[in-house]
Amino acid sequence: MNGAQALLHTLADAGIDVCFTNPGTSEMHFVAALDDEPRMRAVLALFEGVATGAADGYARMAGKPAATLLHLGCGLGNGLANLHNARKGKVPVLNIVGDHATHHVQYDAQLQSDIETVARNVSPWVRTSQSTAALSQDAAEAITQCMGPPGNVATLILPADVSWGEGGVPQTMPPKAPPSAADDAVVAAVAHALQGPGNKAFLLGDRALRAETLMVLGRIAARTGAKLFAEVFPTRIERGAGLPHVERIAYLAELASVQLTGIDHLILVDAKAPVSFFAYPGKKSYLVPEGCQLHELASPTQDVASCLAKLCSAVDASQTAPVLQSAKRPSRPRGKFTADKVCKAIGHLLPDNAILVDEAQTSGIMLPMFTAGAPRHDVLTLTGGAIGQGLPNAVGAAIACPDRKVIALAGDGSAMYTLQALWTMAREKLDIISIIFNNRAYAILNVELRRVGAAGAGDKARAQLDLKHPPLDFVALSEGMGVRARRATTTEEFLAAFEHALRTPGPHLIEAIVPPTLAGLKLRILPSLLESLANLPRPVARALKKKIAP
Amino acid sequence: MNGAQALLHTLADAGIDVCFTNPGTSEMHFVAALDDEPRMRAVLALFEGVATGAADGYARMAGKPAATLLHLGCGLGNGLANLHNARKGKVPVLNIVGDHATHHVQYDAQLQSDIETVARNVSPWVRTSQSTAALSQDAAEAITQCMGPPGNVATLILPADVSWGEGGVPQTMPPKAPPSAADDAVVAAVAHALQGPGNKAFLLGDRALRAETLMVLGRIAARTGAKLFAEVFPTRIERGAGLPHVERIAYLAELASVQLTGIDHLILVDAKAPVSFFAYPGKKSYLVPEGCQLHELASPTQDVASCLAKLCSAVDASQTAPVLQSAKRPSRPRGKFTADKVCKAIGHLLPDNAILVDEAQTSGIMLPMFTAGAPRHDVLTLTGGAIGQGLPNAVGAAIACPDRKVIALAGDGSAMYTLQALWTMAREKLDIISIIFNNRAYAILNVELRRVGAAGAGDKARAQLDLKHPPLDFVALSEGMGVRARRATTTEEFLAAFEHALRTPGPHLIEAIVPPTLAGLKLRILPSLLESLANLPRPVARALKKKIAP
């Protein structure tokens, strides 16, 4: 048995049975060994960023890692942005990166580069396996490291001769160490705060946003009056009718500050203290209000469920009925076609148990409101801010959950980073509806250009944010990769295309030609925008109006 | 004047007047400052790999660096593969990578990552600028570092507050240090070897492959009987009728070994000793024949022209007439459509002073033969082996040389890594003909799978190399990005499309539907393949036949 065969056996024994691949010559023995391991499914991508983003989306939904197969430092580089998203989302991903044979490294051949240095940007655990005999043990350690909690990226570098050498020995995984237990003193302190005066809120990340933990949080919230917030970009959030409603912190720090205004106790559960996405001249980065006390109930290494169970008992909420989101859908959209109408149509038609992958930036701003009372669904978001995540994440989610409809929303700018994902959707016949908001701009940057105070931008600057010349034709691009596509320029066309895609299994793309949602946005009119956002009730919007446009 | 304005002024003063961009929020002040610096041309790409590959292609043709503008660690990651190609090709590229404001770093916001660690993979010089006052000085140092020789990648990381801060001061460049002079003892030793017994050959890289140096080498070769070889993947080679003919070392180590068989003295000029691209079980990586003496006439830090001039005098070749390639074109191709017919058509029709960007892998194997006697042209190749170089390189070459026709050849697999380059071609109305060889396979990997000895590959393995399901439609993909496209399934259709593109300025794409060139290749039939290759004369092929299939 050669190294590659033993490695594949070890992966499959550990339950890792999907590998997203974009191989080259140095990975050919791994590729050849695929036929010896019937448990492993290999999914080819035309670009490494698709493979890594798919592994991220897969793990978010499957609750276990997939492997990637990448070609030396450059292949890893191409996959780096979506590995960054996985790292920031605490998502387990196991990279297998082929390298030159150990005796070839000294010659500094064309593809030679320092792979480990690239890997360290995204991968706390990096190892170049040194021998066929040790390979499977290295793999077992990589798997342990990536499983967490917190989930993480682990990178095993596989020299070609270690892969092709004979003497591979499959390894079984050591028993998994349990996550750190709840800290009783912390639980008591949080319970005390929740039962005392002032306004309390939870800020929830990753594992706190699953149905089971949310039900416990719902009881605690109902009992104590605490509010439930989710991180700006959650890894995965279960939501919809029948679950407690959770309000996501807004991307715009101006709005997030308003959401958090008046909070006296902010309790973190598998989440970090809120900070603004970027820094802006003269504005605060750290968004915890002055005087607000921060508590960390459960850190990313801890057992979130047991921390919450203890807290639930401590505040005597075990018998409290949680406030649950009622079933409620928006009406069928009509009239002028905008990005909001797309979001409304999704809310109107969202099927049971769907997976929404949201990378729509400005165009998706109304999605949370319109889907709040839709049938129960999962949402995956842009955890690390590295765009090009949406379509690859959808690939992985669809492979993890073949019986669920996946709906991926992406802006035109975002979609173009990893559009090759469409080919894998077609090849694997994945049940994904990709909706591309084509507003022919990096619309978010038109907002940001003003927010950073870069006033007086002229034609050259504005041209850098403009995707009008030439216009992208996503129907042609999609069909060029084998995915059926339709263009919608009216609300009725969109509804027809979406309904068709919903009832026809397999991959579809809908190009929604819409005006930029925030194109005319000026900071002084933010409050009127705010008032239309469900996440922010009217009193909050009024408070913001006073603050920003006194 | 803020930091960004001073930086742009410094770049323009240093002659860097093109910037290939894919900006985000942290780069917005740089973007805004573009309008204050009329000398700077900003070229937007939809993906960072296009921006970095364009900067590479630009510098190869312009002989000076362009800047890139990238968005934090993830943007740099997306651009890494083509920066690797630049590094391996000794091509100067100046990266400007935006980062969070210095005071924002502590919060580890979503896009925070260690940019320097990624940069070090491709960039010997990396610096995070610490203040607006020092920024232009940092930029000047970065420019000095990247200019070389050897040319290199330099990465200047630009925190947002260093960019937006007031107090920027443009800097002028310090005087450029001359490259190291020729070493007279080395020149004498090489001259002695050239004048002595045995077979001699030069192995030429980068700066040795330009018209002027080639003419000197032609004299030396004519005088001494030395052969002229070029590296496998030269950065830029000037060739065609009226220049000395140079034979490129073959990609397949089996062929390269034959090319080098019997050489007693191998003289390196701005080149490295030949090694195989990958290692293969039981095969040699180092390709210098046993007993062959290696000489380094000019290292990458030295003045190539003066080393060659001294050698020319030393061997008394100054008055020797070089053997020049005669003008000779292949006839108009007819009959069954194959990749070879495309290469033949290019040789038949190549216009004066064209730039060929060759990333066609297996399909381009006959290109050197069919264009050897064509009008003088430049060829840019895959210096670092990181595919996805061709179309972006073409963008940069066309911007550097707006009066020259650029013809880019890419395999279907390669083209899909950075296909977004087409959009920039359309946007900038670049005079580029992109020819995509669509053989619906990673054809080179079908060869490699056998070469690495990964025998017995089954259906799953072979599926990893197969791009048939679904077939890519490059006409649709191209038109989706605004580039006119035609599909050729016959030789006549290709000729018509190519002739149309040659006489119609602006970007074109031709999708050539061809069978895989080396699909049926088995190692034992290599010699018969060899005999059809112009680079390898019949005696060489016969020698190989004896060696491989005795």
Side-chain angles (χ1 to χ4, degrees), chain A residues 523-528 541-550:
Chain A
L523 282 182
R524 63 188 164 75
I525 63 148
L526 263 179
S528 62
R542 267 187 235 115
L544 182 66
K545 190 177 284 183
K546 274 193 208 138
K547 193 170 169 174
I548 297 187

Side-chain angles (χ1 to χ4, degrees), chain A residues 10 61 103 129 356 359 388 405 422:
Chain A
T10 302
M61 293 311 304
H103 59 269
S129 193
L356 282 172
E359 197 193 14
K405 202 86 182 177
L422 294 171

Side-chain angles (χ1 to χ4, degrees), chain B residues 150-175:
Chain B
N152 227 321
V153 178
T155 302
L156 178 63
I157 300 172
L158 176 56
D161 55 337
V162 172
S163 181
W164 79 49
E166 285 299 318
V169 186
Q171 295 287 319
T172 50
M173 294 298 295

Side-chain angles (χ1 to χ4, degrees), chain B residues 323-509:
Chain B
V323 178
L324 301 180
Q325 170 69 49
S326 57
K328 189 177 69 179
R329 288 179 182 271
S331 62
R332 193 174 175 87
R334 296 181 201 289
K336 183 166 182 286
F337 190 46
T338 62
D340 294 351
K341 297 289 168 64
V342 172
C343 297
K344 193 172 182 185
I346 294 170
H348 183 69
L349 295 167
L350 193 74
D352 261 359
N353 214 21
I355 301 169
L356 282 172
V357 182
D358 177 14
E359 197 192 15
Q361 325 292 10
T362 56
S363 293
I365 202 161
M366 299 298 276
L367 189 71
M369 177 182 102
F370 283 126
T371 53
R376 199 186 280 200
H377 60 278
D378 283 273
V379 180
L380 311 186
T381 79
L382 186 58
T383 45
I387 55 177
Q389 156 266 1
L391 303 180
N393 258 206
V395 166
I399 286 175
C401 305
D403 300 328
R404 300 176 66 174
K405 202 86 180 176
V406 178
I407 300 170
L409 290 81
D412 49 348
S414 297
M416 287 306 293
Y417 287 78
T418 48
L419 198 67
Q420 304 94 330
L422 294 172
W423 184 80
T424 303
M425 292 180 194
R427 181 175 173 94
E428 301 288 334
K429 302 183 175 63
L430 302 178
D431 201 6
I432 299 171
I433 305 172
S434 300
I435 298 172
I436 312 295
F437 292 93
N438 192 350
N439 56 27
R440 295 173 179 162
Y442 285 128
I444 187 77
L445 293 183
N446 272 309
V447 178
E448 296 288 18
L449 191 64
R450 285 190 300 270
R451 289 178 78 213
V452 299
D459 291 347
K460 271 164 80 179
R462 278 196 297 268
Q464 296 298 302
L465 317 179
D466 159 45
L467 307 182
K468 270 190 214 73
H469 308 293
L472 289 159
D473 174 345
F474 282 94
V475 171
L477 290 168
S478 181
E479 291 181 345
M481 285 187 267
V483 171
R484 289 162 292 183
R486 291 195 189 181
R487 178 172 299 115
T489 59
T490 67
T491 304
E492 292 65 36
E493 282 174 0
F494 180 81
L495 283 163
F498 190 46
E499 286 175 326
H500 168 78
L502 283 171
R503 61 175 182 261
T504 317
H508 299 265
L509 181 141

Side-chain angles (χ1 to χ4, degrees), chain A residues 72-419:
Chain A
L72 298 103
C74 298
L76 180 60
N78 281 338
L80 209 67
N82 274 327
L83 292 170
H84 172 89
N85 287 323
R87 174 171 79 90
K88 290 291 187 167
K90 296 174 277 188
V91 180
V93 173
L94 174 64
N95 293 319
I96 300 180
V97 182
D99 193 5
H100 283 311
T102 51
H103 59 269
H104 195 65
V105 169
Q106 63 187 303
Y107 301 114
D108 192 29
Q110 285 84 348
L111 273 166
Q112 178 73 31
S113 78
D114 182 350
I115 304 176
E116 292 192 2
T117 190
V118 184
R120 284 202 189 92
N121 177 261
V122 286
S123 188
W125 190 94
V126 181
R127 183 177 298 168
T128 302
S129 193
Q130 297 298 328
S131 77
T132 304
L135 172 60
S136 295
Q137 190 54 50
D138 292 334
E141 200 171 320
I143 295 165
T144 299
Q145 291 292 330
C146 85
M147 298 280 261
N152 227 320
V153 179
T155 302
L156 179 63
I157 300 170
L158 176 56
D161 55 337
V162 172
S163 181
W164 78 52
E166 285 299 318
V169 186
Q171 294 287 316
T172 50
M173 294 298 296
K176 198 169 172 308
S180 320
D183 181 322
D184 290 337
V186 169
V187 170
V190 171
H192 181 76
L194 283 171
Q195 289 166 325
N199 298 314
K200 306 104 188 180
F202 285 88
L203 181 57
L204 311 173
D206 196 11
R207 293 168 299 150
L209 293 166
R210 311 300 166 84
E212 277 186 40
T213 38
L214 283 175
M215 292 305 279
V216 179
L217 280 157
R219 290 181 203 285
I220 298 170
R223 181 75 180 161
T224 63
K227 204 166 163 54
L228 302 180
F229 288 115
E231 289 182 319
V232 181
F233 287 125
T235 303
R236 174 183 171 189
I237 176 167
E238 292 191 60
R239 64 194 295 274
L243 284 175
H245 179 72
V246 177
E247 181 178 319
R248 270 170 67 185
I249 297 290
Y251 166 80
L252 296 174
E254 296 89 338
L255 307 198
S257 292
V258 171
Q259 288 175 292
L260 296 167
T261 294
I263 302 292
D264 300 297
H265 293 276
L266 186 63
I267 302 154
L268 305 177
V269 188
D270 203 6
K272 285 173 48 183
V275 297
S276 72
F277 201 91
F278 291 105
Y280 301 93
K283 289 180 189 156
K284 283 199 311 181
S285 290
Y286 188 66
L287 300 180
V288 178
E290 264 183 62
C292 172
Q293 198 180 336
L294 209 57
H295 307 262
E296 185 167 43
L297 176 68
S299 78
T301 62
Q302 282 182 300
D303 183 341
V304 167
S306 100
C307 292
L308 285 172
K310 285 195 172 178
L311 182 64
C312 190
S313 296
V315 299
D316 195 21
S318 305
Q319 303 305 317
T320 310
V323 179
L324 301 179
Q325 170 69 49
S326 57
K328 189 179 70 178
R329 287 179 183 274
S331 62
R332 193 174 175 88
R334 295 182 202 292
K336 183 167 183 286
F337 190 46
T338 63
D340 293 352
K341 298 292 168 60
V342 172
C343 297
K344 193 173 182 184
I346 292 170
H348 183 68
L349 295 167
L350 194 74
D352 261 359
N353 215 20
I355 301 168
L356 282 172
V357 182
D358 176 14
E359 197 193 14
Q361 323 294 10
T362 56
S363 294
I365 200 161
M366 299 298 276
L367 189 71
M369 177 181 102
F370 283 125
T371 54
R376 202 186 276 200
H377 59 279
D378 283 273
V379 180
L380 311 185
T381 78
L382 186 59
T383 46
I387 55 179
Q389 154 267 2
L391 302 179
N393 257 206
V395 166
I399 285 174
C401 305
D403 299 328
R404 300 176 65 175
K405 202 86 182 177
V406 178
I407 301 170
L409 290 81
D412 49 347
S414 296
M416 287 306 293
Y417 286 78
T418 48
L419 197 68

Side-chain angles (χ1 to χ4, degrees), chain B residues 151-223:
Chain B
N152 227 321
V153 178
T155 302
L156 178 63
I157 300 172
L158 176 56
D161 55 337
V162 172
S163 181
W164 79 49
E166 285 299 318
V169 186
Q171 295 287 319
T172 50
M173 294 298 295
K176 199 169 174 303
S180 320
D183 180 322
D184 290 339
V186 170
V187 171
V190 171
H192 182 75
L194 283 171
Q195 288 165 328
N199 298 315
K200 307 106 190 180
F202 285 88
L203 180 58
L204 311 173
D206 195 12
R207 292 169 298 150
L209 293 166
R210 312 299 168 82
E212 275 187 40
T213 38
L214 284 174
M215 292 303 281
V216 179
L217 280 156
R219 292 180 202 285
I220 297 169
R223 180 75 182 165

Side-chain angles (χ1 to χ4, degrees), chain A residues 21-26 28-29 31-32 34-35 37-38 40 42-48 71-74 77-78 80-81 84 87-88 100-101 103-104 107-115 117-118 120-121 164 232-233 251 272 275-281 285-286 383-386 416-417 420 423 426-427 442 445 448-449 452-454 457-461 463-467 469-473 476-477 480-482, chain B residues 21-26 28-29 31-32 34-35 37-38 40 42-48 71-74 77-78 80-81 84 87-88 100-101 103-104 107-115 117-118 120-121 164 232-233 251 272 275-281 285-286 383-386 416-417 420 423 426-427 442 445 448-449 452-454 457-461 463-467 469-473 476-477 480-482:
Chain A
T21 70
N22 187 259
T25 299
S26 41
M28 281 300 106
H29 284 86
V31 167
L34 286 169
D35 284 287
E37 183 43 81
M40 181 61 74
V43 179
L44 180 63
L46 294 180
F47 176 69
E48 294 87 348
H71 187 46
L72 298 103
C74 298
N78 281 338
L80 209 67
H84 172 89
R87 174 171 79 90
K88 290 291 187 167
H100 283 311
H103 59 269
H104 195 65
Y107 301 114
D108 192 29
Q110 285 84 348
L111 273 166
Q112 178 73 31
S113 78
D114 182 350
I115 304 176
T117 190
V118 184
R120 284 202 189 92
N121 177 261
W164 78 52
V232 181
F233 287 125
Y251 166 80
K272 285 173 48 183
V275 297
S276 72
F277 201 91
F278 291 105
Y280 301 93
S285 290
Y286 188 66
T383 46
M416 287 306 293
Y417 286 78
Q420 305 95 329
W423 184 81
R427 180 174 173 94
Y442 285 128
L445 293 183
E448 295 288 19
L449 191 63
V452 299
D459 291 347
K460 272 164 80 180
Q464 296 299 301
L465 316 180
D466 158 44
L467 306 182
H469 307 295
L472 290 158
D473 175 344
L477 291 167
M481 286 187 267
Chain B
T21 71
N22 188 258
T25 299
S26 40
M28 282 300 106
H29 284 87
V31 166
L34 286 169
D35 283 287
E37 183 45 83
M40 181 62 73
V43 179
L44 180 63
L46 294 180
F47 177 68
E48 293 88 345
H71 187 46
L72 299 101
C74 299
N78 281 337
L80 209 68
H84 172 89
R87 174 172 78 92
K88 291 292 187 167
H100 282 312
H103 59 271
H104 195 65
Y107 301 113
D108 192 29
Q110 286 84 348
L111 273 166
Q112 178 73 30
S113 78
D114 182 350
I115 304 175
T117 190
V118 184
R120 284 202 189 91
N121 178 261
W164 79 49
V232 181
F233 288 124
Y251 166 80
K272 285 173 50 184
V275 296
S276 71
F277 201 89
F278 292 105
Y280 302 93
S285 290
Y286 188 67
T383 45
M416 287 306 293
Y417 287 78
Q420 304 94 330
W423 184 80
R427 181 175 173 94
Y442 285 128
L445 293 183
E448 296 288 18
L449 191 64
V452 299
D459 291 347
K460 271 164 80 179
Q464 296 298 302
L465 317 179
D466 159 45
L467 307 182
H469 308 293
L472 289 159
D473 174 345
L477 290 168
M481 285 187 267

